[in-house]
Structures are given as C-alpha cells and as structure tokens.
C-alpha cells in the first residue's frame, strides 16, 4: 500500500527529467552562439552535399510561419510557447519518472520550447542555422531546439499510439 508521501514523490518524480530539458537549452544556446560568431548572415557554408550551415533569423514560427508580418507574431509566439511549456511542465510533474517513454519526449519538448523562447525574448527572432537541401529545394533552416521539439513530438505521438499500453501493463 502506498502512502500519501510515497505517491506524492512518485508524482513529482517526473521533474528529474527537467535536467534533460536544461541540457537541450544549454546545447541549443551554445550552438546558436557559435553560429552567430562564426557564420555570415544568409551565406551558406557547405558541410556536405545537401547540408550547409546558414545563419538566418526566423521571425515566425515553425517553417517561418507568419514571419512576413509586422512584429505582432513575436508576442503571439511568446504567449503560445509559454502556455504550452507550462502545460508540458505540469504534465511532466504529474508523470512518474519511471515512465521514461512519456517523460523523455516531454523533456525534449520543454527544452526546445524554452531554447527558442530565450531567442524571442532576447532578440525578437529565433536563430536558425542548419540548412538541408536537395538541388535547389531547401528545407526551412532550423536549430537544436527545433530538433528537440520535432523529436519530442514524434516520440509523443509514438507513445500515444504504442507506449501507453506498455506503461499501463507495467506493475506500479
């Protein structure tokens, strides 16, 4: 039988995964700082065929959504990202740390969201620099925070489709 204190610590256990979020934030900000210091704005630096480092400023959301507007989108994305991040932190707080199939994507999403939030607050845009392309077609430039968000979303969808049943079958 679990005590109230035992179940309480199990609920708060998901917070340990915030260490992964912090790692994503630190690595994201560090790589962006390197990009700003070493790359010329909008000048591709070839790395491999189909892959460049290209420093760009994203004033919009994913895939530069709303980037061509007059600045209101900065506040919109700040509010939405902050609300979603708070909801994800609360979800993580309510999840036991042993449920790593759920905690891992939540931590990646939180770290990625905060990494880009830092840019929006400090600069008014997000620093992107990873440029994948094929021929003349370029995938929208992105950064490490975007990678954490994308991987987190894919893993969260996989969890909802397949992992939830595995977690439910585990003994408490």
């Amino acid at each position: 039988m679990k005590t109230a204190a035992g179940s309480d610590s199990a609920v708060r256990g998901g917070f340990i995964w915030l260490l992964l979020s912090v790692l994503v934030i630190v690595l994201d900000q560090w790589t962006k700082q390197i990009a700003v210091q070493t790359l010329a704005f909008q000048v591709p630096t070839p790395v491999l065929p189909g892959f460049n480092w290209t420093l760009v400023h994203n004033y919009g959301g994913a895939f530069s959504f709303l980037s061509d507007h007059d600045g209101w989108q900065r506040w919109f994305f700040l509010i939405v990202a902050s609300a979603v991040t708070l909801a994800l932190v609360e979800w993580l707080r309510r999840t036991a740390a042993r449920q790593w199939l759920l905690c891992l994507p939540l931590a990646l999403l939180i770290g990625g969201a905060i990494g880009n939030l830092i840019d929006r607050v400090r600069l008014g845009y997000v620093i992107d620099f990873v440029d994948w392309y094929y021929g003349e077609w370029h995938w929208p430039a992105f950064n490490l925070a975007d990678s954490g968000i994308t991987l987190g979303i894919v893993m969260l969808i996989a969890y909802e489709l397949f992992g939830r049943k595995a977690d439910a079958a585990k003994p408490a």
Side-chain angles (χ1 to χ4, degrees), residues 14-87:
F15 270 143
I16 192 72
W17 284 89
L18 288 177
L19 294 174
L20 176 59
S21 300
V22 170
L23 179 63
V24 170
I25 295 164
V26 168
L27 290 175
D28 173 65
Q29 292 297 303
W30 179 59
T31 56
K32 288 173 179 175
Q33 181 180 16
I34 292 170
V36 167
Q37 291 173 349
T38 61
L39 299 173
F41 185 67
Q42 294 185 337
V43 177
T45 301
V47 178
L48 297 168
F51 176 49
N52 294 329
W53 298 126
T54 307
L55 179 64
V56 296
H57 299 162
N58 181 359
Y59 291 89
F63 306 109
S64 296
F65 176 65
L66 299 177
S67 64
D68 57 349
H69 286 71
D70 61 6
W72 64 266
Q73 72 276 20
R74 172 186 185 187
W75 306 108
F76 172 75
F77 288 121
L78 277 169
I79 292 166
V80 170
S82 296
V84 169
T85 300
L86 289 173

Side-chain angles (χ1 to χ4, degrees), residues 144-167:
L144 190 69
D146 297 332
S147 299
I149 292 168
T150 302
L151 184 57
I153 289 170
V154 169
M155 292 175 72
L156 190 57
I157 291 169
Y159 175 81
E160 290 298 324
L161 293 174
F162 310 110
R164 183 179 292 277
K165 292 177 186 175
D167 269 350

